[in-house]
C-alpha cells in the first residue's frame, strides 16, 4: 500500500465560524486571521494505492460553481486534484473508488463536473465507485435549513443518477471494522449525520483521515468546535473519545483542512490531549 496527499485547492473561511464560541484572542494564536477575519484552509484529500485499487478520500470544492460562489471563499494557490494526481503519476480516470467523508460542498464538490458543452453535470471520475452511507445520503438529499447551503444538489444527485453510488455498511457502535473499502471507519454525528472518519493501517501505523472532526491543529482543545456543527455538544463527546484513543494508540492524524500541518500526533497533558509532533506523509 502507498498513500499520497492530494491537494484539491486552498481557500479561506471566517475564523469565527470555524471556532464557534471560542474568542478570537484564543484561536488566532494557532490560526491567524487576515483583515477580513478569514483564516487559511486546505482541501487536502488522500489517495490510497492498494494493489489494483486507487481510493480517493474526498474531492474538495471542484470548479463548476460560479465566480460569485467562489468569491465568498477567497481561493488561493495553484493546487488542483488533476495537478496533484499528475504529480504522483496518476489521472482521474485511474481512480477506482471515491470515498466521501460527508457531502458538504468542500468535501464532495470535485466528484461532479460540467459535461462537455456545459448543459448538465456528470461524475468527474468515470471509472469509480462513489461511497457514502445511507443515513448520511438521506440526510443530505433532504437537508435541514442549517445545512441547506452546504448540501448542493448538483454535487449529489448526479452521482446517484450515474449508477455509480454505493453505500458502506453502518456499524453496530461507532466504528465499522474492515469496511468495504478495506479500512475501518469511525462514524461521528456531531458535525453532520454519519460523517465517516477512515482509519487506515499503513506501515504499522494507524492513519486517521480527520475530515471535520478535527479540521486544524487549532481545534485540538475539546471546546474548540466549529460553528458549522449541527450537534456541537455531541461533537464534544466524539472529539474527546477519539482524541483520547488517538493519544493512547499513537494514531497519526491526517488533517484535511489545516493548510500548514499535514499530519500530527497527539499526547495526554494536564490540559487534555494536545499536539505532540507534526509530520509530512512523505516522511513515512
Amino acid at each position: 500500500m502507498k498513500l499520497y496527499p492530494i491537494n484539491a485547492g486552498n481557500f479561506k473561511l471566517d475564523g469565527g465560524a470555524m471556532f464557534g464560541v471560542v474568542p478570537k484572542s484564543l484561536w488566532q494564536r494557532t490560526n491567524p486571521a487576515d483583515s477580513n477575519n478569514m483564516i487559511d484552509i486546505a482541501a487536502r484529500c488522500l489517495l490510497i494505492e492498494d494493489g489494483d485499487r486507487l481510493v480517493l478520500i474526498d474531492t474538495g470544492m471542484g470548479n463548476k460553481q460560479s465566480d460569485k460562489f467562489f468569491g465568498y471563499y477567497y481561493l488561493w494557490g495553484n493546487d488542483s486534484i488533476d495537478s496533484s494526481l499528475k504529480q504522483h503519476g496518476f489521472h482521474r480516470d485511474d481512480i477506482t473508488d471515491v470515498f466521501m467523508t460527508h457531502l458538504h460542498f468542500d468535501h464532495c464538490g470535485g466528484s461532479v463536473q460540467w459535461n462537455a458543452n456545459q448543459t448538465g453535470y456528470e461524475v468527474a471520475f468515470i471509472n469509480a465507485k462513489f461511497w457514502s452511507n445511507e443515513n448520511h445520503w438521506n440526510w443530505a438529499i433532504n437537508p435541514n435549513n442549517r445545512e441547506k447551503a452546504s448540501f448542493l444538489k448538483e454535487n449529489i444527485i448526479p452521482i446517484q443518477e450515474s449508477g455509480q453510488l454505493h453505500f458502506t455498511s453502518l456499524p453496530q457502535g461507532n466504528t465499522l471494522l474492515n469496511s468495504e473499502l478495506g479500512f475501518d471507519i469511525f462514524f461521528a454525528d456531531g458535525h453532520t449525520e454519519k460523517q465517516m472518519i477512515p482509519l487506515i493501517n499503513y506501515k504499522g501505523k494507524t492513519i486517521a483521515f480527520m475530515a471535520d472532526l478535527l479540521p486544524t491543529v487549532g481545534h485540538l482543545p475539546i471546546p474548540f468546535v466549529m460553528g458549522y456543527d449541527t450537534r456541537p455538544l455531541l461533537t464534544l463527546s466524539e472529539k474527546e473519545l477519539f482524541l483520547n484513543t488517538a493519544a493512547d494508540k499513537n494514531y497519526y492524524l491526517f488533517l484535511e483542512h489545516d493548510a500548514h500541518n499535514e499530519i500530527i500526533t497527539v499526547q495526554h497533558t494536564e490540559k487534555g490531549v494536545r499536539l505532540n509532533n507534526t509530520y509530512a506523509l512523505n516522511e513515512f
Side-chain angles (χ1 to χ4, degrees), residues 86-106:
K86 184 178 180 180
Q87 178 183 345
H88 297 296
F90 301 108
H91 185 273
R92 63 174 59 231
D93 292 353
D94 301 327
I95 303 301
T96 62
D97 300 87
V98 174
F99 180 89
M100 298 170 290
T101 60
H102 59 298
L103 295 167
H104 288 166
F105 68 85
D106 56 320

Side-chain angles (χ1 to χ4, degrees), residues 58-71:
D58 281 355
T59 59
M61 287 189 189
N63 57 14
K64 65 184 176 297
Q65 306 303 136
S66 67
D67 290 342
K68 179 180 179 181
F69 177 91
F70 287 124

Side-chain angles (χ1 to χ4, degrees), residues 147-198:
E147 289 181 277
K148 196 171 185 178
S150 293
F151 290 130
L152 306 181
K153 290 186 181 299
E154 60 268 31
N155 289 337
I156 300 173
I157 301 305
I159 299 174
Q160 186 175 44
E161 293 175 343
S162 74
Q164 295 168 238
L165 175 64
H166 296 260
F167 293 142
T168 68
S169 302
L170 291 168
Q172 294 296 319
N174 55 30
T175 303
L176 175 65
L177 301 178
N178 193 26
S179 74
E180 293 86 346
L181 281 298
F183 46 72
D184 298 344
I185 303 171
F186 179 82
F187 284 75
D189 296 311
H191 178 60
T192 188
E193 176 75 10
K194 292 292 179 287
Q195 177 186 202
M196 299 190 288
I197 308 299

Side-chain angles (χ1 to χ4, degrees), residues 205-236:
K205 301 175 175 63
T206 297
I207 309 290
F209 185 92
M210 295 307 295
D212 281 338
L213 182 60
L214 185 73
T216 74
V217 167
H219 289 85
L220 276 171
I222 299 301
F224 285 39
V225 172
M226 292 190 293
Y228 301 112
D229 286 16
T230 59
R231 306 179 182 107
L233 296 180
L234 185 53
T235 297
L236 293 179

Side-chain angles (χ1 to χ4, degrees), residues 263-281:
I263 295 175
I264 64 170
T265 54
V266 293
Q267 62 185 336
H268 295 290
T269 74
E270 293 181 355
K271 294 183 177 181
V273 174
R274 292 292 187 272
L275 178 66
N276 184 16
N277 287 309
T278 62
Y279 303 88
L281 187 55

Side-chain angles (χ1 to χ4, degrees), residues 59-132:
T59 59
M61 287 189 189
N63 57 14
K64 65 184 176 297
Q65 306 303 136
S66 67
D67 290 342
K68 179 180 179 181
F69 177 91
F70 287 124
Y72 297 131
Y73 300 103
Y74 300 87
L75 306 186
W76 57 278
N78 298 311
D79 292 309
S80 69
I81 280 186
D82 288 317
S83 63
S84 194
L85 285 172
K86 184 178 180 180
Q87 178 183 345
H88 297 296
F90 301 108
H91 185 273
R92 63 174 59 231
D93 292 353
D94 301 327
I95 303 301
T96 62
D97 300 87
V98 174
F99 180 89
M100 298 170 290
T101 60
H102 59 298
L103 295 167
H104 288 166
F105 68 85
D106 56 320
H107 293 258
C108 76
S111 298
V112 175
Q113 63 188 6
W114 285 108
N115 60 17
N117 55 12
Q118 294 204 358
T119 58
Y121 302 107
E122 62 186 15
V123 292
F125 301 88
I126 61 173
N127 297 313
K129 295 179 180 178
F130 291 80
W131 293 90
S132 183

